[in-house]
Amino acid sequence: MRGEDTELAVIRLSLDVHEPAARHRVEDLYSAMWSVKRALQRDARDAIDAYWAGDVRRQTNAKAWRLELGLSREGMERRAYRHMEKSKHLAHHVTKALVMHQADEVYATSVRRHLFADSSGHRHGRPKVGRWWDYTRIPGRARSHTTAGKWETFRLHGTLAGHLDVYRHRDLGREITTPEQVAALPAGTRVLEQPNHLPAPLRPAERIETGEKTKKGKPKTRAATWWDHTGPLAVVFAGGANSSRGDLVLPVRLPSGAGRWPYLLHFLNDPGTWHKIDLVRRRDTATPGGWAHEAHLMVLTGCYASPATKARRKAAGALARVAGVDGNVSNLSIVSFPNTFDPADGDIAATRVEPSDEELAALAKARRKERGRKRALDRSRRASNPAQYGPSKRQQARAERRQAAGLTARADHAPRGARVANKAGVPKQAYRRDTLSAGYLLNRARLAEAAATAAAAKDHRARRIAADVVADHGANLTVEDCDIRTWYRLWGKALQATTPGRLITALGRECAKTGGRMLRASTFTTKLSQSCFCGEKVPKTLSDRIHHCLACGLVGDRDTVSSALGAHVHLDDPDDPSTARVDYVLARHTQILFGEGLQEALSSQPQRGARPTRGRTHAAVLGRKNPGRGPLLDKTPPPGTGPTPNETRPATKRHKAHVGTTGCTDNAPPGAPAPHRHRVGITALRDDS
């Protein structure tokens, strides 16, 4: 068993499943495991309904009532065993170890999260039965690190050196014989020459000496097993108890360039650290069967960091700076000061993160392609199920004209009207029972694949930006604890351009890896966007993008001023955002010491927002009295469109009591001039919080 403090990391290994027999067997494995998970989810849903219906039993002894209903880890495992025993065909595909760990996953992700609240006091909703297309991971069982050769589900056999020996590139020098030598080669050097279709390694067939001798003095031998395989890497699964098809062997494909070999060396060079394997699939229309398969190997070691990353994080951890972060829909602003707030120890640093013109153009192109694919899906479904849709008004009018003219009725192969439904508006035939064409399935797979690719690209962009921000401003950041769900209610898909949630999450991870921490400050107690360095309140609506204080004369960009004030926030309890307070004495001291440098840094940032071509969705705002049409994101809101909502307004259902306020800050103090607003063509979004 591994210790509680043991570090864990995961490496993804690409599997070659080109052989039809192996591919069909993997598909059967997924189908069998999905039937087990679906049955367990239904059982969990019914048991939880019975648990909440038994008021008297629950109030008398809730724990005993849960155990009686089987709402425990052991109870879910016993349910899984019963399903496997009753369904005889499952034993041909799966093992009891796989079924047990599938039950553990259902209990952890559905039952326990519903019955017991997490650290924030939240519980998940009633368990539901998932979809086949969302079932992408078969959990494996961890190997034993005390008993040799005990790995009950998916196993990884072979060595990194053996893989290099079999698939070494023809141009690789003969003096390069070990993975350590390959890792020292410059990036771009070709190391492996793997065929398009990797052959599955064969199980060792020779005899292995045991180290003992017979009475006659001859060395004892035993039959070789997969544990004696030292050739190319491969994932092996023995199959179900009643399976007669032998071992399922899936060869592993490694990166061919030398630039990735330090990463491979970190994870794969020591087989003793290999801990657990999950079989994962993802949509890929270019591969046979429409799925690409991977093995996610959990290794008992820390995450890999390149020498350049280690040097960058070491330098960032040595920066004696504090910074504030202001995230909003259009950009991310960061302002940092030396932790002594003394100009002699460093200058002010300000950064604004926003999408470039190329990124906005790529996003607009992706949206057009996504919209076209969705329309093609709708046309295909209507053409394959014409009886489930009625004609549109135009089609009905055309039919009436032809009938009046005495012409024969024209059949509409793709009706464009509403779905045939009953009086309650419920479709008479469920969508899942529709007939789907092969083109529909292909387009749906392409849509899912494009969405996964876009999400991965956004994650990579967020990690890259977070690394640059921490390298420039240090690892001690403070950000407002905003509810991003409110932003999605107001602006919807506009957040896809900047992905503020991803950026802030990536910043938190990078700060932790660098040795610092990102603190969250409540907007209820700080009100950074409504305050000034001198301590005066400067009320602003979301359309007011310029901060102008009448008391001290400070004029600057609204986002930059808020982020600069965030560097002066102190928390009595770092884990409780509601204990955040702005140290206005220190802020005023900073304003006096830095003088013109502060004024220049706060007013030099460009006033530009993220402007995808599409506007917000018509379901973006919930509960507003005058939702209006909403501004296009590539234009400035026209004058006279009414007041914009307060940026500190909470969501309809707040997840924390201290997030947001209910007061309005639209009323300026007597005698104050009209607030500064955007110039035409400068920005696109009015949100800021």
Side-chain angles (χ1 to χ4, degrees):
M1 297 296 292
R2 65 181 178 90
E4 296 181 357
D5 298 333
T6 305
E7 291 185 300
L8 293 175
V10 177
I11 179 175
R12 297 187 300 176
L13 301 175
S14 177
L15 301 178
D16 192 327
V17 198
H18 72 277
E19 186 181 1
R23 185 172 68 252
H24 293 162
R25 189 170 176 183
V26 171
E27 292 173 353
D28 292 341
L29 176 62
Y30 269 95
S31 179
M33 290 301 298
W34 160 242
S35 64
V36 172
K37 182 176 182 179
R38 181 176 55 185
L40 291 174
Q41 288 176 332
R42 289 174 176 171
D43 292 347
R45 180 186 57 187
D46 296 340
I48 283 177
D49 290 344
Y51 173 77
W52 291 115
D55 296 336
V56 177
R57 295 292 304 275
R58 191 175 66 253
Q59 295 173 1
T60 303
N61 192 337
K63 182 178 180 180
W65 182 224
R66 289 196 301 269
L67 293 178
E68 183 177 341
L69 294 174
L71 293 177
S72 63
R73 187 181 298 274
E74 183 179 358
M76 295 301 297
E77 292 176 357
R78 293 186 180 276
R79 278 194 174 94
Y81 294 153
R82 287 197 297 268
H83 285 302
M84 184 175 178
E85 293 170 358
K86 292 181 179 180
S87 180
K88 301 299 182 180
H89 79 281
L90 289 179
H92 294 277
H93 307 288
V94 302
T95 62
K96 293 187 68 175
L98 280 180
V99 170
M100 181 188 70
H101 279 272
Q102 186 65 77
D104 293 344
E105 184 190 35
V106 172
Y107 173 77
T109 59
S110 298
V111 178
R112 187 173 62 185
R113 292 184 179 182
H114 174 73
L115 295 176
F116 308 105
D118 56 13
S119 58
S120 63
H122 281 167
R123 292 187 299 108
H124 286 241
R126 177 173 175 261
K128 299 180 181 179
V129 178
R131 302 187 309 165
W132 160 255
W133 302 104
D134 296 330
Y135 185 66
T136 58
R137 187 176 72 93
I138 300 179
R141 186 171 183 176
R143 63 178 294 187
S144 173
H145 295 275
T146 57
T147 304
K150 189 176 181 180
W151 203 338
E152 298 183 7
T153 54
F154 307 110
R155 301 168 291 170
L156 179 64
H157 293 294
T159 61
L160 194 61
H163 206 96
L164 175 63
D165 292 339
V166 175
Y167 297 116
R168 63 182 297 118
H169 197 271
R170 69 188 71 178
D171 296 333
L172 188 64
R174 292 298 176 185
E175 68 279 0
I176 306 298
T177 57
T178 63
E180 290 80 6
Q181 294 175 332
V182 172
L185 296 175
T189 305
R190 301 288 292 178
V191 176
L192 299 179
E193 193 172 14
Q194 302 170 111
N196 293 333
H197 292 167
L198 290 175
L202 300 177
R203 177 175 175 171
E206 64 273 9
R207 304 288 298 182
I208 304 298
E209 294 185 1
T210 61
E212 301 178 356
K213 293 185 178 181
T214 62
K215 294 181 179 180
K216 296 182 179 181
K218 295 182 179 181
K220 291 184 178 181
T221 60
R222 59 172 177 83
T225 63
W226 277 111
W227 298 98
D228 302 310
H229 174 65
T230 58
L233 294 170
V235 172
V236 180
F237 178 64
N242 298 338
S243 176
S244 59
R245 293 184 287 182
D247 295 334
L248 174 63
V249 183
L250 303 178
V252 174
R253 184 180 299 275
L254 296 181
S256 301
R260 296 290 293 172
W261 273 74
Y263 177 80
L264 299 176
L265 189 68
H266 177 79
F267 288 104
L268 302 179
N269 202 38
D270 184 8
T273 60
W274 299 348
H275 183 61
K276 176 187 173 184
I277 291 179
D278 294 342
L279 195 63
V280 180
R281 64 177 183 174
R282 56 179 175 83
R283 299 305 301 268
D284 187 359
T285 57
T287 59
W291 295 94
H293 296 273
E294 297 175 344
H296 288 194
L297 173 64
M298 184 181 295
V299 184
L300 300 180
T301 185
C303 296
Y304 172 77
S306 64
T309 300
K310 292 179 180 179
R312 173 177 52 78
R313 288 176 177 171
K314 183 178 180 180
L319 290 177
R321 300 184 69 86
V322 291
V325 180
D326 181 81
N328 53 65
V329 173
S330 60
N331 56 67
L332 193 74
S333 299
I334 308 99
V335 177
S336 63
F337 300 86
N339 58 1
T340 59
F341 293 95
D342 188 351
D345 296 330
D347 297 330
I348 304 174
T351 302
R352 180 184 295 272
V353 178
E354 56 186 4
S356 62
D357 293 335
E358 292 77 8
E359 292 174 336
L360 294 178
L363 179 62
K365 182 179 179 180
R367 284 180 174 172
R368 289 194 299 269
K369 182 174 293 187
E370 178 186 5
R371 188 165 62 252
R373 284 174 173 168
K374 289 183 177 179
R375 294 178 65 182
L377 289 177
D378 182 67
R379 291 193 301 269
S380 176
R381 182 183 287 270
R382 290 174 181 271
S384 301
N385 304 272
Q388 303 304 322
Y389 294 90
S392 63
K393 293 182 179 180
R394 179 176 296 181
Q395 290 174 332
Q396 185 66 27
R398 184 181 62 186
E400 293 175 356
R401 289 196 305 268
R402 292 182 64 87
Q403 183 179 6
L407 301 176
T408 58
R410 178 181 296 179
D412 292 326
H413 299 287
R416 302 177 183 177
R419 182 95 173 181
V420 177
N422 56 20
K423 294 182 179 180
V426 179
K428 292 185 177 180
Q429 176 174 298
Y431 283 89
R432 68 177 181 274
R433 301 189 183 278
D434 286 353
T435 301
L436 304 178
S437 64
Y440 184 96
L441 299 177
L442 181 61
N443 281 335
R444 185 173 62 179
R446 287 174 176 172
L447 189 64
E449 183 182 354
T453 302
K458 291 176 183 178
D459 288 336
H460 177 74
R461 173 180 176 269
R463 290 192 297 267
R464 174 174 51 81
I465 291 176
D468 295 339
V469 168
V470 172
D472 295 337
H473 299 276
N476 298 308
L477 308 178
T478 302
V479 65
E480 288 183 319
D481 188 33
C482 297
D483 189 354
I484 299 183
R485 294 177 300 177
T486 307
W487 302 0
Y488 275 97
R489 292 189 182 105
L490 293 173
W491 286 273
K493 290 186 177 180
L495 277 80
Q496 292 182 355
T498 51
T499 61
R502 275 188 169 91
L503 290 177
I504 294 175
T505 302
L507 278 175
R509 288 196 300 262
E510 186 66 22
C511 288
K513 293 178 180 179
T514 309
R517 184 177 181 181
M518 187 178 70
L519 303 176
R520 293 182 177 269
S522 171
T523 58
F524 184 81
T525 58
T526 56
K527 299 182 178 64
L528 299 179
S529 61
Q530 309 295 324
S531 306
C532 184
F533 274 75
C534 62
E536 291 292 329
K537 299 301 179 182
V538 184
K540 296 183 285 291
T541 62
L542 289 182
S543 59
D544 302 329
R545 310 312 304 168
I546 302 299
H547 173 92
H548 186 188
C549 180
L550 299 179
C552 64
L554 179 63
V555 178
D557 175 63
R558 171 203 184 109
D559 304 331
T560 313
V561 173
S562 299
S563 56
L565 274 177
H568 298 79
V569 171
H570 295 279
L571 285 83
D572 297 334
D573 183 2
D575 298 324
D576 187 1
S578 63
T579 62
R581 298 293 185 275
V582 180
D583 190 348
Y584 287 107
V585 176
L586 179 61
R588 180 57 178 167
H589 181 71
T590 301
Q591 185 181 18
I592 295 174
L593 287 181
F594 285 88
E596 296 181 359
L598 178 65
Q599 174 67 66
E600 181 180 358
L602 299 183
S603 59
S604 61
Q605 296 298 318
Q607 293 288 318
R608 177 188 173 186
R611 302 186 298 274
T613 56
R614 295 290 296 177
R616 65 185 182 188
T617 61
H618 46 101
V621 181
L622 302 180
R624 290 183 59 185
K625 295 181 180 179
N626 298 316
R629 183 180 179 184
L632 291 177
L633 299 183
D634 56 349
K635 296 182 180 179
T636 301
T641 55
T644 56
N646 188 342
E647 67 175 276
T648 58
R649 187 184 65 179
T652 305
K653 294 182 180 180
R654 296 182 302 192
H655 68 297
K656 296 179 182 177
H658 63 274
V659 177
T661 59
T662 56
C664 181
T665 59
D666 292 344
N667 298 325
H676 293 267
R677 299 184 182 272
H678 277 302
R679 298 190 303 271
V680 176
I682 295 297
T683 191
L685 300 180
R686 297 180 295 171
D687 177 47
D688 170 65
S689 58

